[in-house]
Amino acid sequence: MPRITLRPSFSKDLDGLRRSSRKHYQRACEILMEFQRDIEPSAQRRAETRIVMIAD
């Protein structure tokens, strides 16, 4: 199972997203839950993504 490392400001950024765009916040939470359940995320991956997967 890959280890997920979040940058220190991630929770602050997520909170800001919750305040600015409820729809995008909910989608981000869905993707985080997929990671937590070890399910392949339904979102497309991009090079500039804020979530980085590191294989052990």
Side-chain angles (χ1 to χ4, degrees), residues 1 4-6 10-11 13-15 17 24-43 49-53:
M1 176 177 186
I4 298 172
T5 304
L6 302 175
F10 182 79
S11 61
D13 293 339
L14 192 59
D15 190 47
L17 184 61
H24 291 117
Y25 171 77
Q26 289 175 335
R27 183 67 182 124
C29 288
E30 289 172 7
I31 294 167
L32 290 170
M33 293 296 286
E34 290 172 352
F35 277 125
Q36 188 175 17
R37 293 182 184 135
D38 200 25
I39 298 172
E40 184 66 27
S42 56
T49 185
R50 293 183 184 190
I51 300 173
V52 179
M53 294 185 65

